[in-house]
């Protein structure tokens, strides 16, 4: 078979394959590329040496059986016999579920996670969003320090396990989305600079030198990232990608990388006949990110909406530190602004940033399904000192209110694994760095970060302690027992209503009407004939909904539909969904 590698500054490149070393030749058709033939089959181990240096794994490795520092392995993508006939599931109308393979089950593998997919079918979600799967040092970690952007972490099961997981999900009618990280690579096992200018000092990011999207050599770096993204969608039949922190992709070229990526993914969707989509994580509040390319946008299909999370979190918990400060001044008004306008910061002053931030979203042109709404994510839980979930901070009634707002809002809802039953397990920051110096640096950095916010060092979990990961694994005995079973039933009811009532998936932000009382702490909104009311106060509330007859579709506590006076009498820390006749 043919091997190839991009090493534009090399004078000599050799291939080591199954213990045999061969010199590669320059490719006369492609500048900087080296090619050669060798006998190899699925599982053959190989690597490249530049200018007689050490043998390193292939930058485009499809498998790293011995981790990021070991040799690559050949993967025959045609060996797997797909079972499921799958035509895809679009983003519009979806309910996403963010899942970390390493803690979804105690086994921490893709095969073990696949055994639990029936729970998600019963819950009613439509897509599983897997946190990053690329190889990283050790066995356990979040995945955001991955390397080998074309490969699957071997302790999770490697490439074959991912195919089995996707196949099983598709058999059950679930789409699969993968979180990919293009803005940086991990500090350990990252050999890309050995081969070429994959990074540039022209720009700096929180992780050091930026990925080279616009400096000399960037054509091939962009092709590397594009090829990786398309490989996940094509070879593993994934339905979409979540792009980590796209605001850190520094790119000054006239044809932005993100636009090139969306164009390539749309072309692959046309080729395969399956709806494929890209979801960005961005803190820019820039609607051009999700505006169509024909309208001079970048064409991404959706983005996470942290503003909605921040507003909802402050309304539920009363927290006001850091970036919550602006939302906490009038929490319910903040929720209302995001429900009706998408962004909270749309050109307004951000005290956290010390400047104005964002720009308005055109509600007449952008469908609300292009914004993902959530009350919890891996970031918002795991980046807390002790990884405490919302279930550790508020009452079951307020958890029910949070679910009602997320699952009946106009945005595409996303859940974080375990929230549907109010999991008691935390989700903490954990690593398994094999480099002792790096492990100690991460440990010290974590403690120093939270010491600045008043945390005692001994109260900050040690990321390298295996117990930190173990504490973060879901307890699958909880969904069947009180009080978790009641919350799970509530989530199932709300998701079923979302699927059965078209008003709840109407993407028109301009059609939503909201009323609220900041002091009494209630909020109600209308979506077509559906009315949603939440009472965040511990005291009962009388909420004016109008005199049109209505019936209760779902309620956290027993409640009657409004009488002739149009008042809904809602118990404290409770919520209800009604349909008016």
């Amino acid at each position: 078979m043919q091997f190839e590698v991009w090493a534009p500054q090399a004078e000599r490149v050799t291939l080591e394959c199954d213990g045999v070393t061969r010199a590669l030749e320059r490719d006369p058709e492609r500048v900087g590329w080296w090619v050669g033939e060798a006998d190899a089959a699925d599982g053959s181990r190989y690597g490249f040496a530049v200018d007689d240096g050490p043998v390193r794994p292939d930058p485009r490795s499809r498998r790293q059986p011995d981790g990021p520092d070991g040799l690559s392995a050949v993967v025959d993508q045609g060996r797997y016999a797909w079972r499921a006939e799958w035509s895809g599931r679009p983003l519009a109308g979806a309910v996403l579920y963010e899942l970390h393979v390493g803690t979804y089950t105690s086994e921490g593998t893709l095969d073990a996670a696949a055994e639990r997919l029936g729970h998600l079918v019963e819950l009613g979600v439509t897509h599983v969003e897997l946190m990053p799967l690329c190889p990283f040092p050790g066995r356990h970690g979040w995945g955001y320090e991955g390397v080998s952007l074309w490969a699957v972490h071997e302790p999770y099961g490697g490439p074959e396990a991912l195919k089995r997981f996707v196949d099983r999900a598709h058999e059950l009618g679930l789409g699969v989305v993968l979180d990919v990280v293009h803005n940086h690579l991990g500090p350990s096992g990252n050999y890309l600079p050995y081969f070429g200018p994959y990074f540039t000092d022209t720009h700096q990011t929180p992780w050091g030198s930026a990925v080279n999207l616009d400096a000399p050599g960037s054509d091939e770096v962009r092709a590397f990232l594009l090829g990786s993204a398309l490989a996940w969608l094509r070879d593993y039949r994934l339905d979409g990608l979540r792009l980590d922190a796209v605001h850190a992709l520094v790119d000054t070229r006239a044809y932005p990388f993100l636009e090139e990526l969306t164009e390539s993914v749309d072309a692959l969707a046309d080729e395969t006949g399956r709806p494929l989509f890209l979801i960005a994580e961005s803190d820019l509040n820039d609607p051009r990110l999700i505006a169509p390319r024909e309208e001079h946008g970048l064409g991404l299909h959706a983005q996470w909406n942290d503003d909605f999370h921040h507003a909802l979190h402050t309304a539920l918990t009363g927290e006001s530190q850091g970036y919550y400060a602006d939302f906490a001044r009038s929490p319910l008004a903040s929720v209302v602004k995001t429900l009706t306008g998408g962004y909270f910061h749309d050109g307004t002053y951000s005290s956290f940033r010390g400047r104005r931030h964002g720009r308005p979203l055109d509600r007449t042109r952008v469908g609300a399904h292009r914004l993902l709404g959530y009350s919890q994510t891996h970031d918002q839980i795991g980046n807390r000192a002790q990884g405490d979930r919302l279930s550790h901070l508020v009452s079951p009634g307020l958890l029910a209110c949070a679910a009602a707002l997320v699952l009946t809002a106009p945005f595409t809802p996303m859940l974080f694994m375990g929230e549907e039953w109010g999991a008691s397990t935390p989700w903490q920051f954990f690593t398994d760095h094999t480099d002792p110096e790096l492990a100690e640096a991460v440990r010290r950095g974590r403690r120093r970060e939270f010491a600045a916010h008043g945390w005692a060092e001994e109260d900050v979990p040690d990321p390298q302690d295996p117990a930190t990961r173990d504490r973060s694994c879901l307890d699958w005995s909880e969904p069947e027992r009180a009080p978790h079973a009641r919350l799970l039933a509530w989530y199932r009811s709300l998701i079923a209503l979302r699927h059965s009532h078209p008003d709840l998936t109407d993407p028109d932000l301009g059609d939503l009407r909201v009323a609220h009382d900041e002091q009494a702490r209630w909020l109600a909104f209308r979506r077509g004939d559906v009315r949603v009311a939440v009472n965040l106060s511990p005291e009962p509330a009388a909420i004016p909904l109008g005199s049109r007859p209505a019936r209760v579709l779902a309620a956290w506590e027993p409640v009657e539909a409004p009488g002739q006076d149009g008042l809904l009498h809602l118990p404290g820390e409770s919520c209800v969904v009604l349909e008016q006749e």
Side-chain angles (χ1 to χ4, degrees):
M1 66 177 288
Q2 178 168 292
F3 291 85
E4 59 182 21
V5 66
W6 181 61
Q9 295 153 350
E11 295 296 327
R12 169 179 161 81
V13 178
T14 55
L15 163 72
E16 180 183 303
C17 182
D18 288 338
V20 179
T21 301
R22 297 171 175 82
L24 300 185
E25 302 290 336
R26 295 183 189 271
D27 188 333
E29 304 296 328
R30 298 178 296 168
V31 175
W33 282 86
W34 298 75
V35 297
E37 299 282 336
D39 292 332
D42 186 82
S44 290
R45 304 293 181 90
Y46 73 99
F48 301 105
V50 173
D51 294 334
D52 299 319
V55 178
R56 298 302 191 195
D58 182 359
R60 287 170 167 75
S61 170
R62 299 304 185 93
R63 187 179 174 204
Q64 290 296 118
D66 302 312
D69 296 309
L71 290 176
S72 300
V74 172
V75 173
D76 179 359
Q77 298 290 2
R79 285 188 55 181
Y80 184 82
W82 292 93
R83 302 183 306 270
E85 292 292 332
W86 182 249
S87 57
R89 276 192 98 151
L91 181 64
V95 178
L96 275 66
Y97 187 94
E98 190 184 21
L99 184 157
H100 178 259
V101 170
T103 50
Y104 189 59
T105 66
S106 58
E107 297 89 341
T109 66
L110 284 156
D111 286 332
E115 292 297 316
R116 293 286 183 181
L117 289 177
H119 166 79
L120 302 186
V121 175
E122 293 178 5
L123 181 59
V125 303
T126 63
H127 294 75
V128 183
E129 182 177 303
L130 297 174
M131 287 175 61
L133 298 179
C134 292
F136 54 85
R139 177 174 180 81
H140 297 299
W142 280 19
Y144 291 94
E145 293 186 339
V147 295
S148 298
L149 299 188
W150 301 53
V152 179
H153 190 51
E154 200 70 16
Y156 288 167
E160 288 282 303
L162 177 57
K163 290 178 180 179
R164 291 192 294 269
F165 179 93
V166 173
D167 218 2
R168 182 57 181 153
H170 287 171
E171 285 180 325
L172 295 172
L174 296 168
V176 183
V177 182
L178 177 63
D179 193 339
V180 297
V181 185
H182 290 162
N183 53 66
H184 73 290
L185 276 78
S188 180
N190 174 15
Y191 298 111
L192 291 184
Y194 176 74
F195 291 96
Y198 283 88
F199 299 88
T200 174
D201 291 331
T202 305
H203 313 292
Q204 292 293 312
T205 75
W207 306 281
S209 297
V211 174
N212 181 12
L213 299 178
D214 57 5
S218 59
D219 287 353
E220 290 293 353
V221 177
R222 290 159 74 111
F224 169 80
L225 296 175
L226 286 168
S228 169
L230 296 177
W232 293 117
L233 298 169
R234 181 185 59 246
D235 298 338
Y236 294 95
R237 299 192 179 185
L238 297 178
D239 300 278
L241 301 175
R242 184 260 192 187
L243 308 176
D244 183 63
V246 299
H247 49 269
L249 294 171
V250 187
D251 182 6
T252 61
R253 289 171 59 161
Y255 185 29
F257 167 72
L258 288 175
E259 183 179 355
E260 187 177 1
L261 178 59
T262 61
E263 189 170 11
S264 300
V265 169
D266 287 347
L268 181 62
D270 291 339
E271 176 189 326
T272 60
R274 292 188 290 123
L276 304 173
F277 52 83
L278 296 170
I279 302 171
E281 180 197 21
S282 171
D283 72 354
L284 298 177
N285 283 20
D286 186 350
R288 290 172 294 188
L289 195 71
I290 53 176
R293 294 190 302 277
E294 56 270 23
E295 297 179 14
H296 307 293
L298 296 180
L300 288 155
H301 306 93
Q303 70 157 97
W304 280 26
N305 186 8
D306 273 354
D307 277 13
F308 176 68
H309 168 273
H310 297 347
L312 181 54
H313 187 87
T314 57
L316 293 166
T317 68
E319 292 185 357
S320 59
Q321 71 276 16
Y323 47 64
Y324 291 133
D326 292 327
F327 302 87
R329 292 191 180 98
S330 299
L332 287 178
S334 300
V335 174
V336 170
K337 184 174 182 180
T338 58
L339 283 173
T340 56
Y343 301 143
F344 176 81
H345 285 302
D346 53 6
T348 58
Y349 182 79
S350 164
S351 62
F352 177 69
R353 297 172 179 86
R355 58 169 175 80
R356 290 167 59 187
H357 185 65
R359 67 188 297 170
L361 191 75
D362 186 345
R363 298 187 302 167
T364 66
R365 303 177 74 84
V366 178
H369 72 280
R370 294 186 179 275
L371 299 175
L372 267 62
Y374 37 83
S375 65
Q376 301 178 71
T377 70
H378 77 271
D379 268 332
Q380 303 301 339
I381 299 171
N383 285 330
R384 298 173 69 89
Q386 296 186 321
D388 38 343
R389 294 170 175 266
L390 199 57
S391 55
H392 301 128
L393 305 175
V394 302
S395 68
L398 291 182
L399 291 178
C401 291
L405 288 169
V406 168
L407 291 167
T408 63
F411 313 124
T412 295
M414 184 180 74
L415 315 178
F416 181 69
M417 61 177 200
E419 78 163 76
E420 70 273 21
W421 71 73
S424 66
T425 51
W427 203 74
Q428 298 175 337
F429 179 70
F430 52 89
T431 56
D432 189 20
H433 289 299
T434 53
D435 179 342
E437 290 186 9
L438 180 58
E440 183 57 28
V442 170
R443 182 183 292 115
R444 287 197 310 266
R446 186 78 175 172
R447 288 171 173 168
R448 186 166 52 246
E449 174 187 356
F450 287 103
H453 297 285
W455 287 87
E457 183 174 305
E458 61 272 17
D459 292 335
V460 179
D462 178 359
Q464 285 286 121
D465 185 348
T468 304
R469 176 263 171 184
D470 294 345
R471 281 192 297 270
S472 301
C473 292
L474 291 178
D475 178 354
W476 282 94
S477 72
E478 288 186 338
E480 300 175 357
R481 52 187 168 88
H484 307 283
R486 182 188 178 196
L487 187 63
L488 178 57
W490 178 243
Y491 268 82
R492 287 173 175 166
S493 297
L494 292 172
I495 295 174
L497 285 177
R498 188 172 185 91
H499 291 320
S500 63
H501 285 70
D503 284 337
L504 292 178
T505 51
D506 182 356
D508 186 359
L509 277 171
D511 191 47
L512 187 140
R513 298 290 181 271
V514 190
H516 76 286
D517 187 316
E518 196 75 56
Q519 278 197 317
R521 287 180 51 75
W522 62 259
L523 180 151
F525 59 85
R526 184 199 77 193
R527 301 194 63 200
D529 290 329
V530 175
R531 302 291 186 270
V532 180
V534 299
N535 179 13
L536 306 184
S537 168
E539 302 301 323
I543 303 173
L545 289 188
S547 57
R548 253 177 89 185
R551 64 187 182 97
V552 174
L553 297 175
W556 177 247
E557 298 287 358
V559 65
E560 298 290 332
Q564 291 185 343
D565 61 1
L567 289 178
L568 171 71
H569 296 277
L570 192 58
E573 297 186 351
S574 186
C575 45
V576 63
V577 183
L578 308 102
E579 184 175 43
Q580 291 190 317
E581 299 173 3

